[in-house]
Amino acid sequence: MKYLLLSAAVLCASGAAAQAPAVFNAGLESATVFRVGAELTHKARVTLPKGTSQVVINNVANALDENSVQIATGPGITIMSATFARNFLNNEAKSPAYLKLEDSLKAAQRDLTRTRNLRTSEEGTMALLDKNQELKSGTAGTSVSELMKLAEYYKNKQVELKNSVALLLEKEAGQQKQVDRLAQQLKELADNPDASGGQLLLQVLANNAVTTDFAINYLTPNAHWTVYYDLRADNAADPLKIVYKANVMQGTGIDWKKVKLTLSTGNPSQNGTAPVMSAWFLRYALPVQMAMAKRQAYQNTIQSLESRAPMMAPPPPPVAADAAGGVDAYTTQNENQLSATFDIDIPYDIASNNKQHSVTLKEFTQPAKYKYYAVPKLDPDAFLMAEITEYERLNLLPGEANIIFENMYAGKSYIDPNATGDTLNLSVGRDKKVIVKREKITDVAGVKFFGNQKRQVFTYEIRVRNAKKEAINMLLKDQYPISTDKNMEVELLESSDAAVNTENGVLTWKLSIAPGETKKVRLSYSVKYPKDKVIANL
């Protein structure tokens, strides 16, 4: 087979320009979908005359990187040039979505025409009845009783016809709205450049007349996939089941029918050039720049302090799994130094509508160590956490996870396999049977003045009750503030033997709580500062 790597070229051969191009349709064989973009492989059966000719290949993606196009041909055939087109010779193939909508519009127009014809016929009958009534009423020798019967007949018939016309007018109005709506949708689809596929225009030289297959391969930006997970745990003693899934979306203008699908964690559109450092020259700032720099430094300090509280929240729950777990029977995972791929044996149909199409990649059953985690200052509930080790050798990606605990949907979590450390903590959900209460103790709090200084004392009690039938291990967190000014003094007065991080003020208690037991801890601290000052976030 001969392969040609094509750049953006222009059909310019004078001999071939005068010939009518031969048009062929390409069938999609396989798709490798990246996090951004996809690599598509087509096959087109092409008949060529001897010599130079122009060929139009229909049903390729509506956008592609011409530098990535490769075409494999048979012996004795040379691809002289190629370019991408959207509407060559006004003969662009209509997409399946366009054809379906076009058929719906034609059917709606036929229904409207039938209703309109029936309504016109009924109105004609009414006119004929009126004319006939005038003739009959003027006929000599007609008795009064006969006139009465005739009047009753015309009255009933007039009412019947008028009611029928009224219903037909109502039906006609609805059908007209349907026709207008479909016509507008068809116009929007026709005006949308991404609603249908594109074309490749080739200039080909053949040594002999031949019918052969062209294998066409290229990159398109109009497809991608995102990862998500299902996390299942029957109880806090069983292993954790992790179902690795993908949402595949594509808007290439061509529907993918029975396609061999491969998903890759790589990104071919990402810049592969390594960065190069240049000299770093220092210079003095202008007065205005100095003021802006000071203001920015102050804002950075405040943001840094405020960001410390979320550190205590349940960490974004990453996930890991044992490589020895059961991979889905129809999916093969391959890994290299830069990415991983999932080859799926089942052919897939994915419409060109940019809607999510769910694909199951693999399943793992992973032993996990469970514990409870609570930060009552930020959230009143206790969270069941699963500790998982040896995750770094898996090519998991950041993504949302659906949590199913004890056969019930428990909400959503998040997986971040890029977290550092040997252990990943995965939130399995909230457990209402572990009750956490945090209350301010007013009798040991208060404000005192010492000269020009003010001293405030804050005391909190946290109670944790285990309403479950088994003992639990609890990781409980709270915090005290950190001073940012030399005139502001913060002192930790009581911590109930918590592990104290003096850099961020976070206190951590590790509690073992028996069934039905309630444990209490206390946190107390004081803040001393000038009485003419106000602390905004105390």
Side-chain angles (χ1 to χ4, degrees):
M1 299 286 280
K2 294 183 179 179
Y3 291 86
L4 178 65
L5 182 62
L6 300 170
S7 61
V10 179
L11 294 177
C12 56
S14 58
Q19 302 174 4
V23 180
F24 303 95
N25 293 326
L28 183 61
E29 300 274 305
S30 64
T32 298
V33 185
F34 304 98
R35 300 303 303 278
V36 178
E39 181 181 22
L40 303 186
T41 300
H42 299 262
K43 181 186 288 185
R45 190 72 172 170
V46 177
T47 300
L48 301 172
K50 181 179 180 180
T52 303
S53 60
Q54 284 188 1
V55 172
V56 175
I57 304 295
N58 280 331
N59 298 335
V60 299
N62 50 25
L64 56 83
D65 180 0
E66 292 186 64
N67 294 318
S68 70
V69 177
Q70 299 182 63
I71 300 179
T73 66
I77 300 173
T78 302
I79 307 295
M80 301 172 64
S81 63
T83 189
F84 174 72
R86 292 303 312 274
N87 194 18
F88 182 67
L89 298 181
N90 295 319
N91 192 36
E92 187 174 33
K94 297 177 181 177
S95 69
Y98 186 96
L99 293 173
K100 182 178 180 180
L101 196 58
E102 193 175 48
D103 289 342
S104 297
L105 176 59
K106 290 178 180 178
Q109 288 172 331
R110 286 194 297 269
D111 291 341
L112 175 60
T113 300
R114 293 191 187 99
T115 302
R116 187 170 291 161
N117 291 341
L118 183 56
R119 190 250 312 162
T120 303
S121 176
E122 296 282 64
E123 289 175 340
T125 302
M126 286 175 58
L128 181 62
L129 193 64
D130 289 339
K131 185 177 180 180
N132 187 61
Q133 183 179 7
E134 293 175 0
L135 293 175
K136 288 292 184 180
S137 62
T139 303
T142 304
S143 66
V144 174
S145 61
E146 289 176 339
L147 286 174
M148 291 294 291
K149 291 180 181 178
L150 191 61
E152 185 67 20
Y153 167 77
Y154 281 120
K155 175 185 175 182
N156 293 336
K157 197 62 178 177
Q158 285 278 12
V159 170
E160 178 186 337
L161 290 172
K162 287 182 178 180
N163 288 339
S164 177
V165 169
L167 291 175
L168 290 170
L169 283 171
E170 183 178 350
K171 183 178 181 181
E172 187 179 335
Q175 290 175 333
Q176 183 64 57
K177 288 182 179 179
Q178 174 74 353
V179 167
D180 293 342
R181 183 179 63 82
L182 291 172
Q184 179 62 29
Q185 290 180 352
L186 198 65
K187 182 179 182 302
E188 292 173 356
L189 200 60
D191 293 341
N192 181 6
D194 297 329
S196 57
Q199 298 169 316
L200 283 175
L201 281 57
L202 310 179
Q203 181 182 329
V204 184
L205 175 62
N207 294 342
N208 297 289
V210 65
T211 297
T212 186
D213 289 329
F214 280 13
I216 305 164
N217 181 275
Y218 57 85
L219 292 174
T220 176
N222 291 345
H224 68 282
W225 70 282
T226 58
V227 66
Y228 73 103
Y229 303 86
D230 283 347
L231 307 175
R232 295 178 178 271
D234 292 335
N235 52 60
D238 289 348
L240 183 67
K241 185 176 181 181
I242 304 171
V243 184
Y244 194 171
K245 295 184 176 182
N247 280 325
V248 182
M249 290 147 280
Q250 68 99 355
T252 60
I254 52 176
D255 290 340
W256 299 357
K257 298 288 188 180
K258 305 299 180 185
V259 168
K260 175 67 173 64
L261 190 63
T262 299
L263 303 184
S264 172
T265 62
N267 183 1
S269 62
Q270 190 173 25
N271 186 358
T273 305
V276 178
M277 298 187 73
S278 57
W280 180 8
F281 297 102
L282 297 180
R283 61 179 182 274
Y284 287 109
L286 298 175
V288 174
Q289 293 175 322
M290 292 175 64
M292 293 178 62
K294 290 181 179 179
R295 186 181 302 113
Q296 185 62 47
Y298 173 76
Q299 291 176 349
N300 291 343
T301 301
I302 297 301
Q303 291 174 358
S304 176
L305 290 172
E306 291 176 347
S307 68
R308 288 173 179 168
M311 291 173 60
M312 297 167 36
V319 70
D322 190 344
V327 178
D328 186 88
Y330 300 102
T331 303
T332 303
Q333 181 179 359
N334 301 298
E335 299 181 16
N336 55 42
Q337 290 183 337
L338 300 178
S339 64
T341 60
F342 302 95
D343 297 325
I344 302 170
D345 294 335
I346 303 175
Y348 268 88
D349 292 350
I350 302 179
S352 177
N353 54 15
N354 282 314
K355 293 183 178 180
Q356 294 181 348
H357 188 101
S358 178
V359 177
T360 298
L361 300 181
K362 58 183 180 179
E363 296 183 2
F364 295 121
T365 299
Q366 170 65 31
K369 182 179 179 182
Y370 293 93
K371 65 182 178 183
Y372 284 88
Y373 180 92
V375 189
K377 180 183 178 182
L378 303 179
D379 194 298
D381 288 338
F383 292 80
L384 180 62
M385 308 294 293
E387 288 187 352
I388 300 174
T389 58
E390 297 183 0
Y391 65 91
E392 63 281 349
R393 52 201 172 104
L394 301 173
N395 279 284
L396 300 179
L397 298 169
E400 282 193 344
N402 299 316
I403 302 171
I404 298 94
F405 184 63
E406 296 179 341
N407 293 321
M408 295 183 64
Y409 177 74
K412 288 186 177 294
S413 186
Y414 188 81
I415 291 176
D416 181 13
N418 298 321
T420 58
D422 297 331
T423 302
L424 291 179
N425 290 306
L426 172 64
S427 177
V428 183
R430 302 168 185 262
D431 194 332
K432 299 295 185 180
K433 293 183 179 179
V434 179
I435 300 97
V436 183
K437 297 290 185 181
R438 180 182 190 265
E439 294 181 348
K440 187 175 182 179
I441 308 301
T442 57
D443 57 351
V444 290
V447 179
K448 294 183 179 180
F449 295 91
F450 303 91
N452 63 347
Q453 296 288 309
K454 177 194 293 187
R455 183 175 183 265
Q456 287 184 266
V457 176
F458 301 87
T459 303
Y460 296 91
E461 183 178 83
I462 305 174
R463 298 189 301 274
V464 183
R465 180 174 179 268
N466 179 14
K468 301 176 71 67
K469 296 180 180 179
E470 63 273 357
I472 64 170
N473 294 318
M474 163 70 74
L475 195 66
L476 182 66
K477 287 184 179 286
D478 211 306
Q479 69 178 158
Y480 66 97
I482 302 297
S483 173
T484 59
D485 190 286
K486 63 180 182 180
N487 295 320
M488 183 190 303
E489 297 179 11
V490 178
E491 182 182 0
L492 179 61
L493 304 176
E494 185 178 358
S495 63
S496 295
D497 298 324
V500 181
N501 187 327
T502 57
E503 293 184 359
N504 59 18
V506 174
L507 286 77
T508 303
W509 294 271
K510 293 182 179 180
L511 307 176
S512 296
I513 310 175
E517 183 183 8
T518 298
K519 285 198 172 181
K520 302 177 182 179
V521 297
R522 276 201 177 191
L523 162 66
S524 182
Y525 58 88
S526 66
V527 182
K528 185 178 180 181
Y529 57 97
K531 65 181 181 181
D532 61 340
K533 300 291 186 182
V534 175
I535 301 178
N537 59 340
L538 183 58

